[in-house]
Each structure stands twice: as C-alpha cells, then as structure tokens.
C-alpha cells in the first residue's frame, strides 16, 4: 500500500527553491484576486451593455451598433496589441444578445 504525500510548494509551482516557490505562490494569489476583479468588471459591463441594447431596441434601433464595436476593438488593440483584439471580441460576444 503506497502513501501519497502532498506536493511541496516547489513541486506545485515548478520552482527549484522554497524562496522562488513562495514568491510564485504569492504572485499567483494576486493573479487569482485580479482575475476575480476582471470577471466582476466583465459581468458589470454585460449588465450595462444590456441596458444600452434594451434602450436601442426599444427606440427602434438594432441590438448591436457595429461602429461602436469597431471603436472598442481598436481601443483594445491599441492598448494591448493584436491579442487585445481577440480579448475584445470575446468580451463583446459575452455582452451581445443577453436581452
């Protein structure tokens, strides 16, 4: 019968020293916190986008304003480079058609 031992901090992080493992562990906690904030902001953006879409549709307009989406895509591309465009596309997809 084998006894499994829990992986050490170094093993979990891929670090070769306990000091590096500690630094990586702390940084990962910060990343997890940032990810939670980013998710919350995207959810907030989705709610605001829904309000905009409802107002546009109720006034006889379309659900999506393509020129505005192009502005958003350009903003993300300018700030983050080519991957920013993909990120913005995903975000816009999350925010479309929720009504």
């Amino acid at each position: 019968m084998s006894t499994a031992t829990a992986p050490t901090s170094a093993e979990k992080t891929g670090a070769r020293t306990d000091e590096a493992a500690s630094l990586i562990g702390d940084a990962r906690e910060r990343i997890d916190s940032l990810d939670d904030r980013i998710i919350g902001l995207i959810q907030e953006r989705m709610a605001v986008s829904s309000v905009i879409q409802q107002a546009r549709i109720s006034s006889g307009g379309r659900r999506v304003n393509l020129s505005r989406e192009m502005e958003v895509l350009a903003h993300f591309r300018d700030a983050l480079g080519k991957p920013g465009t993909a990120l913005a596309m995903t975000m816009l997809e999350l925010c479309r058609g929720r009504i």
Side-chain angles (χ1 to χ4, degrees):
M1 180 172 198
S2 70
T3 57
T5 59
T8 66
S9 293
E11 290 170 334
K12 286 198 284 187
T13 63
R16 295 191 181 236
T17 67
D18 289 337
E19 182 181 349
S22 178
L23 178 81
I24 291 167
D26 292 346
R28 284 183 176 171
E29 286 181 22
R30 176 104 168 99
I31 284 174
D32 290 344
S33 176
L34 290 167
D35 286 348
D36 288 342
R37 289 173 47 201
I38 291 166
I39 290 167
L41 288 169
I42 290 172
Q43 290 170 330
E44 183 178 350
R45 191 190 193 287
M46 290 167 65
V48 172
S49 181
S50 179
V51 169
I52 292 168
Q53 288 175 50
Q54 289 174 3
R56 191 181 302 115
I57 290 169
S58 68
S59 72
R62 294 182 170 176
R63 178 175 51 90
V64 175
N65 180 333
L66 294 177
S67 64
R68 172 62 180 151
E69 288 196 356
M70 295 305 292
E71 290 174 9
V72 172
L73 291 170
H75 180 67
F76 273 69
R77 182 192 63 240
D78 292 347
L80 302 172
K82 185 178 177 183
T85 303
L87 179 62
M89 284 297 297
T90 299
M91 183 187 61
L92 289 170
E93 183 179 344
L94 285 168
C95 293
R96 284 188 209 122
R98 298 281 184 189
I99 58 174

